[in-house]
Amino acid sequence: MKWFIYLYPKSWRRRYGDELMEVIKQTDTSFKTIIDLLLGIIDAWHIELSERKVYGFRLSQLLTLIGLINVLVISKLISLREAILLEQIALIVAMLSFFLAIVVLVVNMFKVGIISAFSTNTRLAKISVGLMGSYAVFFITFLVLAN
């Protein structure tokens, strides 16, 4: 269960990693503990992404803006046939992006090891994160088109 610590953001690990390591050593491995750690990972990344800035904007604001642009572009479509075709294309590109992101992550795990693969220090890890971002954008596009 110690490897759960490496799923937290780097800044979080620097501040709380030693404490969490001690807590994990003192607790037993149970389903509730694993769920609690996973929820903590999600919460820590949510806070990290909310505070991280790209070109002066928060990353969460950029993702919202990309989703809004998708909605505006899709709402300008003329016919239903075009919407169905774009929906299929968006789903195919999303699935392909997800598949490639997982493949790149697995290759990175074999190349640098499991712990280093989950950091963004390597080029393959950055490529995998970028592919997951494109997966999210195209999947949001698919969901908007499907509704």
Side-chain angles (χ1 to χ4, degrees), residues 103-130:
V103 168
V104 170
L105 180 66
V106 169
V107 167
N108 196 26
M109 283 182 188
F110 283 114
K111 186 175 180 183
V112 297
I114 294 175
I115 295 170
S116 299
F118 285 104
S119 71
T120 56
N121 295 335
T122 64
R123 187 175 184 157
L124 287 176
K126 292 175 185 175
I127 291 171
S128 181
V129 169

Side-chain angles (χ1 to χ4, degrees), residues 9 22 57 101 121 130:
E22 291 299 319
F57 294 98
N121 295 335

Side-chain angles (χ1 to χ4, degrees), residues 88-101 135 138-139:
Q88 291 171 349
I89 292 171
L91 183 61
I92 290 169
V93 172
M95 290 173 18
L96 184 62
S97 296
F98 183 74
F99 176 73
L100 288 174
Y135 161 73
F138 281 104
F139 194 71

Side-chain angles (χ1 to χ4, degrees), residues 1-49:
M1 286 199 2
K2 294 177 187 177
W3 63 272
F4 274 112
I5 293 173
Y6 295 103
L7 296 176
Y8 283 90
K10 193 174 193 174
S11 60
W12 192 95
R13 286 193 314 262
R14 272 188 253 127
R15 184 168 180 185
Y16 303 109
D18 294 335
E19 291 178 38
L20 183 60
M21 185 69 78
E22 291 299 319
V23 171
I24 288 175
K25 286 179 184 176
Q26 294 173 3
T27 59
D28 59 334
T29 304
S30 67
F31 184 70
K32 183 182 181 297
T33 306
I34 292 171
I35 295 297
D36 192 37
L37 284 171
L38 291 174
L39 290 174
I41 291 167
I42 292 169
D43 185 49
W45 274 108
H46 180 271
I47 292 168
E48 176 80 15
L49 290 177

Side-chain angles (χ1 to χ4, degrees), residues 52-97:
R52 189 170 292 176
K53 295 191 175 193
V54 178
Y55 299 116
F57 294 98
R58 286 190 183 142
L59 194 58
S60 59
Q61 292 171 336
L62 286 176
L63 292 175
T64 304
L65 181 64
I66 290 170
L68 184 61
I69 290 171
N70 280 332
V71 170
L72 292 175
V73 167
I74 291 166
S75 67
K76 296 294 181 181
L77 294 175
I78 298 170
S79 71
L80 184 60
R81 262 189 234 159
E82 290 176 8
I84 291 173
L85 178 64
L86 284 177
E87 176 184 327
Q88 291 171 349
I89 292 171
L91 183 61
I92 290 169
V93 172
M95 290 173 18
L96 184 62
S97 296

